[in-house]
Amino acid sequence: MSISSYYKFVTFTRLITLISLIILSATLFLYPFVDINKLTDRTNRDIEQNEQIEPGIKSPIYTGLDNNLRPFTLTARQALQQTKEQMFLLKPYGMLKDNNGNDVKISSATGIITTTNNIVQLNNDVEMISTEYQISSSYAQIDLDKQLISGDKYVLINSKNGIVEAERFLLNINDDILSLPTKPKVTIYDKKNQQNTIITAQNATVLQRQNRVIFNNNVFIKRPDMQVRADKMNVFYEKATESSTANNIKKIDMHNNVELITTQE
């Protein structure tokens, strides 16, 4: 190889090496820069999404007065804004007042409050407890202004007077009226006679101030000593006191198509 050809070869080799170094340096410099930008963009998007999912308010408290100027309070572990008017509640817990000034405690796993009309929807593990009763269901709606509690799911009501089971219910705290519009089953404790009375019907109404329960349509009453069918039935009872853990049935009135079956010999 001639000297001239040798210098040309060396010059070409150095040029190739220089170009390779330039490309390598650019790659090493730009790659982390581009990757950091991608990571920053992704992090910003994640933060924005998290802010949209969890704009939570810890331990919110809602207070007010119902239409009869009685106070109510509702709190929760956390509240999440769903719409302008609605808040999602995690572990809501509240307190209402009945006509006698007694507390009615309410709680559930989750809930939704509409702040414009003070309507609260309670979902899952719903509990409502007062000195007179304990209501358990999977769903209930409470009108805080009107003191109305309703539900269209299976409900179990325990009280000193007995047990009530039904598919739907409406409790008017103001008037002390419990409406059971769909297939209620009532077990009334009878301490005086040492026996329980089980009553089923298409619908029923409990008038707590009158100590009276009204059953309508396909009424069936069952006791150890007898069974009765009728179109309508009124059960009058004495309310339980501190010295009596259960009430005594005072009187039962039956009307229309009454059929009595005595089971005792």
Side-chain angles (χ1 to χ4, degrees):
M1 178 182 294
S2 63
I3 295 176
S4 139
S5 298
Y6 175 78
Y7 281 118
K8 288 181 180 179
F9 175 78
V10 171
T11 302
F12 178 78
T13 302
R14 289 178 177 176
L15 181 61
I16 293 298
T17 302
L18 180 60
I19 293 173
S20 299
L21 290 173
I22 292 173
I23 294 174
L24 180 60
S25 299
T27 302
L28 292 174
F29 177 77
L30 292 176
Y31 178 77
F33 179 78
V34 173
D35 193 50
I36 290 173
N37 282 340
K38 289 182 179 179
L39 180 61
T40 303
D41 290 341
R42 184 168 63 252
T43 303
N44 288 337
R45 287 196 301 270
D46 291 344
I47 292 174
E48 290 175 359
Q49 289 177 357
N50 288 335
E51 287 177 350
Q52 292 174 0
I53 294 173
E54 298 184 358
I57 303 172
K58 292 185 177 180
S59 303
I61 299 178
Y62 304 93
T63 60
L65 299 175
D66 64 19
N67 292 344
N68 292 321
L69 302 180
R70 289 174 301 193
F72 64 79
T73 303
L74 183 66
T75 185
R77 179 182 297 177
Q78 188 176 19
L80 307 176
Q81 191 81 43
Q82 282 194 327
T83 66
K84 185 178 180 180
E85 300 176 349
Q86 289 187 328
M87 296 288 290
F88 173 82
L89 304 176
L90 179 63
K91 295 290 184 181
Y93 174 86
M95 193 83 70
L96 311 176
K97 292 286 186 181
D98 63 17
N99 281 327
N100 298 319
N102 299 317
D103 293 333
V104 179
K105 301 176 183 178
I106 58 175
S107 63
S108 67
T110 61
I112 296 174
I113 181 171
T114 304
T115 55
T116 53
N117 57 13
N118 288 330
I119 299 291
V120 181
Q121 298 177 33
L122 301 178
N123 296 286
N124 302 320
D125 300 327
V126 179
E127 295 283 346
M128 287 159 279
I129 303 174
S130 77
T131 57
E132 297 290 333
Y133 54 80
Q134 177 177 342
I135 300 176
S136 303
S137 186
S138 61
Y139 172 81
Q141 177 174 288
I142 303 177
D143 187 327
L144 295 174
D145 291 335
K146 298 179 181 179
Q147 297 281 35
L148 296 176
I149 304 176
S150 62
D152 57 1
K153 305 294 184 182
Y154 170 82
V155 60
L156 175 65
I157 305 173
N158 286 281
S159 72
K160 295 178 181 179
N161 303 321
I163 298 175
V164 178
E165 300 172 80
E167 297 179 6
R168 298 172 59 194
F169 75 99
L170 172 62
L171 175 62
N172 187 326
I173 297 178
N174 288 327
D175 298 329
D176 292 329
I177 296 176
L178 173 64
S179 299
L180 305 168
T182 309
K183 298 180 179 179
K185 176 184 177 181
V186 179
T187 301
I188 301 177
Y189 303 135
D190 190 347
K191 185 178 180 180
K192 182 178 180 180
N193 298 307
Q194 295 295 316
Q195 58 187 6
N196 295 336
T197 300
I198 300 175
I199 306 173
T200 58
Q202 289 298 313
N203 61 78
T205 303
V206 181
L207 306 175
Q208 295 180 347
R209 295 181 186 177
Q210 301 178 21
N211 295 338
R212 179 163 67 114
V213 185
I214 303 173
F215 297 89
N216 292 295
N217 302 322
N218 297 325
V219 182
F220 179 69
I221 180 171
K222 182 178 180 180
R223 292 164 56 102
D225 58 341
M226 67 175 182
Q227 297 180 5
V228 181
R229 297 183 186 275
D231 290 341
K232 184 175 181 179
M233 184 179 301
N234 288 280
V235 177
F236 298 87
Y237 60 89
E238 293 179 353
K239 186 173 293 187
T241 62
E242 294 181 358
S243 60
S244 175
T245 57
N247 71 288
N248 294 323
I249 297 176
K250 294 174 59 178
K251 182 174 65 172
I252 297 178
D253 288 340
M254 295 163 283
H255 305 273
N256 302 330
N257 300 316
V258 178
E259 179 183 357
L260 175 62
I261 302 172
T262 302
T263 57
Q264 288 183 341
E265 294 182 359

